[in-house]
Structures are given as C-alpha cells and as structure tokens.
Amino acid sequence: MKTAKLFEYDIADVTQKEALDNALRLIEGNKPAQIVTINPEMVNFSFKNAEFAKLLQDADMLIPDGVGIKIAMNLLGKKINRIAGIDFAYKLLQDCEKSGIPVAMIGTSENILNKAVENIKNSMPDLKIVYTHNGFFDNADEIYKHLQNTAPKLVLVALGSPKQEFFIQEAKKYLKNGLFIGIGGSFDVWSGEIKRAPVIFQKLGLEWLYRVLTQPKRLKRIFPAMPVFFLKVISKRIGV
C-alpha cells in the first residue's frame, strides 16, 4: 500500500476505495489488525508519549482523517486524499453486511450506543452485530472476554483518543484475527444525537470549524494543538 511520510509515521496515500479494500484484507488476515484515523491532535500527543508514538508506528494503516493532516502533507510537498473516518467506518459496515462479517461496537453512553445500533440496523438489516458495550467501564477484562467469545471480525471503538487506541492495543491480544478501528464521536452522529456538519463544510474539510461553532467547548481542544502541530510541520519543512 502506498504511503507518505509525516514525521516518523507512514500515512496511507490512497483513495477511500483502496483504503476499504485494504481494510477488508486486514479483516480476513491471519492476525488482529488496527487502523488509526489519525489527526493532528494524535500526532501532537505522540510527541510527548512514546508508547502512543510506537502504537502509531505499529498500526496496520494510518488513515488521514483530520484535514490538518492533509494540509500538513501539502506543506511538505505531498498531496494525499483525506479520508473522513466516519464515512470510512460506515462504508466498511456496509461491506461487512454484504459479506456477512460479524461486527462489535464499543463506546459512548448506553443510550447513544443503542440509538446508533438501531439506526444502523434500520439501514443495514442484515448486518451481524454480535456484541456491543458502552464506553463507561472501569475494568475492561470482561469486555475482552466477551470479544473472545463472540469473535467479531470488525470491532469499532469510540472511547476518544488516546483511550480507544490503547484499549484496542490490549484487546487485540484476545482475538486470533480481525480488525479494530477507533472511531471517536461517530456513534454520536449515527445515533442522531449530534448533527453532522452540512455537506459544504464536509467538502471544504471544515467539519472541525462547524463543530467549534456548534460546540464552543471544543475550542480548547483545538487551540493551541493545531498551531503547535503546524509549527512543527513548518520547522520540518525548513529543516529547523
């Protein structure tokens, strides 16, 4: 699979279809795999957390979810496609329905998770959802055991980053094969509880701006994270 380098990370330089095809290969592989929908906040966190940096390096595919990643690659002279994690995960579920691939969903509140599952089942009635669990738990051992017993081939985890990535890192030990993906706030949107940005914002890569406008508390999360990230990218570009 073609990749492009961002710091020490190999970012997938593919179309959405190519990413989906690769995900299906990982699902049918002979070992558990992990896809990370990477964004600038994750990269920033990796600069100060060696364990997370290693996790990103070891991931089977890093999808450029955040528009900031696409802009950063442009600044470094490399043009790549942005692949929105929420769209990627939804289309992968559709592929799983067609192929009879069992799925597990973990994260968010019980109410939102149930609504998301209900809406997904309404649009994908043949999707095999073999296990669900909300994201509020103190001990994950019981969840790991249920994953082992139900043996899903695709596990979507929405615990927020980096918690979801570290959870996946441990959960992989309990399955012989299959694919894990951290999907952030996707369940909130699929449940209908949170409205997704209008299409024009999506096309312009400005979903983050819409979320800030509708949820101002997110501003603290984006700033100073984004300026710090781009300063590091520019420093790399000019060789400082």
Side-chain angles (χ1 to χ4, degrees), residues 54 71 76 133 159 176 179:
K54 180 68 163 54
I71 294 172
L76 295 173
H133 196 287
L159 302 175
K176 293 180 180 179
L179 175 62

Side-chain angles (χ1 to χ4, degrees), residues 198-217:
V199 174
I200 185 63
F201 282 82
Q202 296 176 37
K203 288 184 176 179
L204 293 174
L206 295 175
E207 288 186 78
W208 64 271
L209 177 59
Y210 178 81
R211 287 194 292 269
V212 168
L213 292 173
T214 55
Q215 302 172 55
K217 63 181 180 180

Side-chain angles (χ1 to χ4, degrees), residues 16 20 82-94 186 190 196 202 207:
Q16 185 186 74
L20 288 167
R82 180 197 171 219
I83 301 173
I86 186 170
D87 295 328
F88 174 81
Y90 197 82
K91 288 183 181 298
L92 190 54
L93 287 176
Q94 292 175 326
S186 296
W190 294 342
R196 193 173 179 190
Q202 296 176 37
E207 288 186 78

Side-chain angles (χ1 to χ4, degrees), residues 163-222:
K163 184 178 179 180
Q164 63 193 16
E165 283 74 35
F166 285 132
F167 172 89
I168 287 171
Q169 186 179 45
E170 183 64 24
K172 284 166 59 181
K173 300 174 184 177
Y174 292 82
L175 291 182
K176 293 180 180 179
N177 57 8
L179 175 62
F180 292 80
I181 308 176
I183 60 168
S186 296
F187 289 145
D188 298 301
V189 176
W190 294 342
S191 72
E193 290 295 300
I194 290 182
K195 186 179 178 181
R196 193 173 179 190
V199 174
I200 185 63
F201 282 82
Q202 296 176 37
K203 288 184 176 179
L204 293 174
L206 295 175
E207 288 186 78
W208 64 271
L209 177 59
Y210 178 81
R211 287 194 292 269
V212 168
L213 292 173
T214 55
Q215 302 172 55
K217 63 181 180 180
R218 282 180 171 266
L219 195 61
K220 290 182 181 180
R221 201 174 118 190
I222 294 175

Side-chain angles (χ1 to χ4, degrees), residues 122-184:
N122 284 339
S123 61
M124 305 178 211
D126 295 326
L127 182 65
K128 293 171 61 177
I129 301 176
V130 296
Y131 178 65
T132 63
H133 196 287
N134 66 60
F136 295 89
F137 51 85
D138 296 318
N139 189 331
D141 288 344
E142 182 180 345
I143 296 176
Y144 297 146
K145 289 177 182 177
H146 280 297
L147 288 174
Q148 197 170 41
N149 292 334
T150 55
K153 300 293 287 294
L154 174 65
V155 184
L156 300 182
V157 183
L159 302 175
S161 185
K163 184 178 179 180
Q164 63 193 16
E165 283 74 35
F166 285 132
F167 172 89
I168 287 171
Q169 186 179 45
E170 183 64 24
K172 284 166 59 181
K173 300 174 184 177
Y174 292 82
L175 291 182
K176 293 180 180 179
N177 57 8
L179 175 62
F180 292 80
I181 308 176
I183 60 168

Side-chain angles (χ1 to χ4, degrees), residues 6 14 22 43 51 55 74 91 104 118 125 188 203 212 220:
L6 177 62
V14 294
N22 191 53
V43 176
E51 185 181 356
L55 185 154
N74 285 343
K91 288 183 181 298
E118 181 182 357
D188 298 301
K203 288 184 176 179
V212 168
K220 290 182 181 180

Side-chain angles (χ1 to χ4, degrees), residues 46-73:
S46 76
F47 292 144
K48 56 187 177 182
N49 187 294
E51 185 181 356
F52 191 68
K54 180 68 163 54
L55 185 154
L56 294 181
Q57 289 173 331
D58 291 343
D60 296 272
M61 184 162 59
L62 298 177
I63 291 177
D65 177 28
V67 69
I69 299 294
K70 178 180 172 69
I71 294 172
M73 298 306 293

